[in-house]
Amino acid sequence: MRQGKGGKDRATLLPARLHEPLRAHLEPVRSIHAQDLREGFGEVWLPDALARKLPSASREWVWQ
């Protein structure tokens, strides 16, 4: 759902003091994702057009 003016996403800044805690949290999450992929899981649903255009995107970390 788009909440911004004109149906656009709103972007905001992440406070600098949260950079390292977020990075520390995402390291093990990324490791879990890699393990899930090895076991045949770890994919996400993508809209049809995007799934056709980027067939391997559903398994990429960036979409998690």
Side-chain angles (χ1 to χ4, degrees):
M1 176 188 289
R2 305 285 181 173
Q3 296 293 325
K5 192 174 188 178
K8 298 176 183 174
D9 286 334
R10 291 179 186 229
T12 188
L13 299 175
L14 183 68
R17 66 187 177 96
L18 296 179
H19 290 187
E20 191 50 42
L22 181 58
R23 190 171 289 122
H25 166 73
L26 291 176
E27 284 179 26
V29 173
R30 190 175 200 148
S31 177
I32 291 168
H33 174 62
Q35 180 180 350
D36 286 347
L37 289 174
R38 286 190 299 273
E39 295 175 2
F41 305 104
E43 292 189 46
V44 296
W45 177 88
L46 296 174
D48 294 333
L50 187 56
R52 282 192 306 274
K53 183 177 180 180
L54 304 169
S56 65
S58 65
R59 293 179 299 279
E60 293 179 7
W61 167 248
V62 70
W63 291 101
Q64 302 301 308

